[in-house]
Amino acid sequence: MKATVEADKCSSCGLCVETCPDVFEMDNDDIAKVKVDVVPPNCESCTKEAAENCPTEAIVVK
């Protein structure tokens, strides 16, 4: 599984980082970014949860 953040949609709320800190982090501009190339199997559930709860639908999971 891979995750991406559409930076232009990110509202910098930080919910994804709170939900799944092993996958998401905030960059220097307070925009969420994915910090892994491939989501580890033990993080797939929280990655999906972060995507579902993102208020701007900026997270794409494939």
Side-chain angles (χ1 to χ4, degrees), residues 29-48:
D29 295 323
D30 283 331
I31 301 297
K33 70 176 190 174
V34 178
K35 59 184 187 177
V36 295
D37 290 329
V38 177
V39 175
N42 64 319
C43 295
E44 289 182 359
S45 178
C46 69
T47 300
K48 290 176 186 175

Side-chain angles (χ1 to χ4, degrees), residues 11-29:
S11 65
S12 305
C13 72
L15 184 62
C16 57
V17 177
E18 290 177 28
T19 304
C20 201
D22 291 334
V23 175
F24 300 99
E25 65 185 358
M26 302 304 279
D27 68 12
N28 292 336
D29 295 323

